[in-house]
């Protein structure tokens, strides 16, 4: 097997899938291969083992010694992708492992055991400063296919969990159950119930299909035992194929010539054309910078058009993991997205309520989320309390990186009737 084949195999071992891609590639460099004949002892009870054993081919039986109590004899068969020798409290193995057939194992020697304990699911090294987005998208693996995510106190929040957070974290969970050579190429999400910012979110991944080229995952996000969000994602191993692009990136100013949100806010606070009362209220209002830097291509005079163009990139440096970068742009894709369908209806004093209903993304090419990307959004229709938007993302070279669609609930906010005065 060549290095890529070893990496692909290791990426299908559930124990290893939640590791950073860099860790799996490093493990592929240092694993050793060992072969056994039927009846050979691979590990003996009470004797030390060389490291983590992963079965590549064949079967082995796990059994306790004849002296063990009947109720405590764990006789069962190990097959391809199963492992042993990991997680023991001492270097001595607790049971016998015997080859039932010709058996081939990968062995990760004990001196490389640290590769199984990365700092995060995205980065194996101790990095002084992780991007806030990378920390938002870090999940805690609870067991195989189950992860826990959080709404960080330093992250911007709404009345409910931000839709982009659910998309990004659910995609992160799905990505950590497929081999690292397969990347998401499409996802389809449905928002069911508003999430609570003050509670952790449990992500349960269901392995719908694993093929040689494609893998499919369904993810359910839960709070209080209720499913609040579902996502289906398809992953593909990179291959060479037909290539064309008809979409053309709009002619807009480069991001270096535009102001970011913080600079726009600062100008408004000091602009004498705005009423003093407005400026004072805006200055007192708590302002939490987004982990995404945005620079708008049009001025406020264009806010009534059913379209919006803006540059964006993740703040800070991201780990070099393509799966992470795709999760980051998935997170960012929900920013200001459905609001474009409200643009033609905006008027003074209008208060609205909006909530994402569903969201789809197609990833066409690799993406680097800490470099500038142009988000081109259009709303071709709004009807029946629902707004529909489409989106395209381009890199600075004009390559179409992603295509997107979303439908959202958009309503006038109901005015609350004043409490009736008591008659007495």
């Amino acid at each position: 097997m060549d290095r890529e084949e070893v990496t692909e195999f290791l990426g299908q071992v559930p124990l290893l899938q939640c590791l950073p891609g860099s860790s799996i590639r490093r493990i592929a460099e240092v694993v050793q291969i060992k072969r056994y004949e039927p009846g050979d002892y691979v590990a003996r009870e009470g004797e030390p083992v060389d490291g983590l054993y992963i079965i590549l081919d064949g079967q082995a039986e796990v059994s306790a010694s004849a002296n063990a109590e009947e109720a405590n004899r764990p006789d069962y068969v190990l097959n391809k992708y199963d492992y042993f020798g990991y997680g023991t409290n001492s270097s001595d193995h607790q049971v016998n492992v015997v080859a039932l057939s010709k058996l081939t194992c990968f062995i990760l020697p004990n001196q490389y055991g640290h590769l199984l304990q990365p700092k995060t699911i995205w980065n194996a090294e101790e990095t002084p400063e992780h991007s806030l987005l990378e920390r938002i998208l870090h999940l805690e693996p609870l067991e195989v296919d189950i992860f826990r995510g959080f709404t960080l106190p330093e992250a911007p929040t709404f009345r409910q969990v931000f839709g982009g957070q659910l998309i990004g974290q659910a995609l992160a969970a799905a990505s950590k159950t497929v081999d690292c050579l397969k990347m998401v190429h499409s996802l389809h999400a449905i928002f069911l119930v508003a999430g609570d910012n003050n509670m952790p979110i449990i992500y349960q991944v269901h392995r719908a299909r694993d093929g040689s080229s494609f893998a499919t995952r369904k993810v359910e996000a839960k709070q209080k035992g209720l499913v609040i969000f579902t996502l289906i994602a398809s992953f593909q191993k990179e291959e060479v194929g037909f290539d064309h692009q008809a979409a053309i990136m709009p002619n807009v100013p480069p991001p270096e010539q535009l102001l970011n949100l913080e600079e726009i806010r600062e100008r408004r606070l000091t602009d004498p054309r705005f009423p003093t009362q407005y400026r004072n209220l805006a200055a007192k209002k708590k302002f939490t910078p987004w982990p995404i830097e945005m620079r708008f291509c049009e001025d406020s005079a264009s806010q009534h058009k059913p379209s919006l163009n803006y540059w964006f990139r993740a703040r800070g440096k991201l780990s070099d993991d393509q799966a992470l970068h795709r999760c980051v742009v998935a997170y960012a894709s929900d920013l200001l997205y459905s609001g474009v369908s409200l643009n033609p209806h905006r008027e003074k004093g209008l208060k609205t309520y909006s909530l994402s209903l569903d969201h789809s993304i197609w990833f066409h090419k690799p993406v680097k989320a800490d470099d500038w990307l142009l988000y081109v959004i259009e709303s071709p229709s709004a009807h029946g309390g629902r707004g529909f938007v489409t989106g395209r993302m381009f890199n600075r070279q004009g390559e179409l990186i992603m295509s997107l669609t979303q439908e959202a609930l958009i309503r006038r906010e109901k005015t609350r009737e004043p409490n009736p005065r008591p008659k007495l």
Side-chain angles (χ1 to χ4, degrees), residues 172-189:
S175 299
K176 291 303 170 181
T177 65
V178 299
D179 75 75
C180 60
L181 298 182
K182 290 188 178 79
M183 291 293 150
V184 62
H185 70 90
S186 69
L187 67 82
H188 308 276

Side-chain angles (χ1 to χ4, degrees), residues 141-173:
L142 300 180
E143 54 183 277
V144 173
D145 299 340
I146 300 178
F147 302 83
R148 179 162 53 199
F150 300 89
T151 301
L152 300 184
E154 60 267 42
T157 56
F158 298 93
R159 287 178 291 186
Q160 61 273 333
V161 176
F162 171 50
Q165 176 182 324
L166 288 169
I167 298 169
Q169 289 184 341
L171 179 57

Side-chain angles (χ1 to χ4, degrees), residues 47 53-54 84 119 193 201 211 213 217 241 260 335 382 414:
E47 295 184 5
Y53 285 68
I54 301 170
F84 58 91
K119 300 305 178 184
V193 180
I201 307 166
S213 297
R217 298 290 185 265
N260 61 30
L335 282 170
K414 293 181 180 179

Side-chain angles (χ1 to χ4, degrees), residues 182-423:
K182 290 188 178 79
M183 291 293 150
V184 62
H185 70 90
S186 69
L187 67 82
H188 308 276
I190 297 179
F191 299 86
L192 301 174
V193 180
D196 186 341
N197 286 312
N198 299 312
M199 293 189 65
I201 307 166
I202 302 299
Y203 294 94
Q204 169 77 61
V205 182
H206 303 274
R207 297 170 183 252
R209 179 179 183 271
D210 280 295
S212 58
S213 297
F214 289 86
T216 307
R217 298 290 185 265
K218 178 183 177 182
V219 185
E220 292 181 333
K222 298 179 181 180
Q223 284 186 325
K224 303 178 184 177
L226 296 176
V227 178
I228 64 171
F229 171 87
T230 64
L231 176 142
I232 294 179
S234 182
F235 298 79
Q236 182 189 16
K237 185 179 178 182
E238 185 178 0
E239 63 179 75
V240 178
F242 301 111
D243 195 343
H244 80 272
Q245 177 180 317
I248 300 174
M249 185 172 77
N251 184 19
V252 297
E256 292 80 9
Q257 296 180 11
L258 304 169
L259 300 177
N260 61 30
L261 283 179
E262 289 75 21
E263 291 167 333
I264 292 173
R265 178 177 181 272
E266 190 61 32
R267 282 197 174 187
R268 287 181 175 177
L269 291 178
T270 57
D271 191 336
R273 291 175 295 177
F274 288 95
T276 303
Q277 184 179 10
Y278 165 84
R279 286 185 281 148
N280 290 339
L281 287 173
K284 292 177 182 178
K285 189 176 180 181
K286 181 182 177 183
F287 178 73
T288 304
W290 277 94
I292 297 287
E293 183 178 2
M294 295 178 284
R295 302 195 177 196
F296 296 97
C297 300
E298 295 93 8
D299 57 26
S300 58
S302 305
Q303 65 182 5
H304 292 288
K305 294 181 180 179
S307 61
L308 177 67
N309 298 327
Y310 68 85
W311 293 96
F312 78 92
R313 65 180 177 184
R315 295 185 187 275
K317 186 69 176 173
L318 297 171
S319 297
D320 186 18
D321 189 321
Q322 180 60 204
L324 168 63
H325 286 253
R326 296 191 186 206
C327 291
V328 168
V329 291
Y331 173 99
S333 68
D334 198 36
L335 282 170
L336 308 178
Y337 194 26
S338 62
V340 175
S341 63
L342 278 167
N343 282 0
H345 314 284
R346 298 191 188 278
E347 58 188 43
K348 188 175 181 179
L350 175 67
K351 294 184 178 180
T352 60
Y353 174 79
S354 64
L355 194 68
S356 301
L357 297 174
D358 52 39
H359 192 103
S360 295
I361 304 176
W362 293 265
F363 297 82
H364 306 307
K365 294 183 178 180
V367 61
K368 189 162 175 53
D370 45 9
D371 279 351
W372 289 110
L373 297 167
L374 178 66
Y375 200 175
V376 178
I377 306 172
E378 296 177 339
S379 176
S381 173
H383 180 75
R386 302 184 315 278
F388 178 69
V389 286
T390 65
R392 292 173 293 163
M393 290 187 186
F394 297 87
N395 62 20
R396 296 198 69 164
Q397 291 70 47
E399 294 177 310
L400 181 64
I401 302 301
M402 296 160 55
S403 298
L404 312 92
T405 61
Q406 186 185 87
E407 192 172 48
L409 176 70
I410 53 171
R411 288 175 175 165
R412 291 179 182 270
E413 195 170 82
K414 293 181 180 179
T415 56
R416 296 182 180 178
E417 304 237 348
N419 294 328
R421 298 178 61 184
K423 293 181 179 180

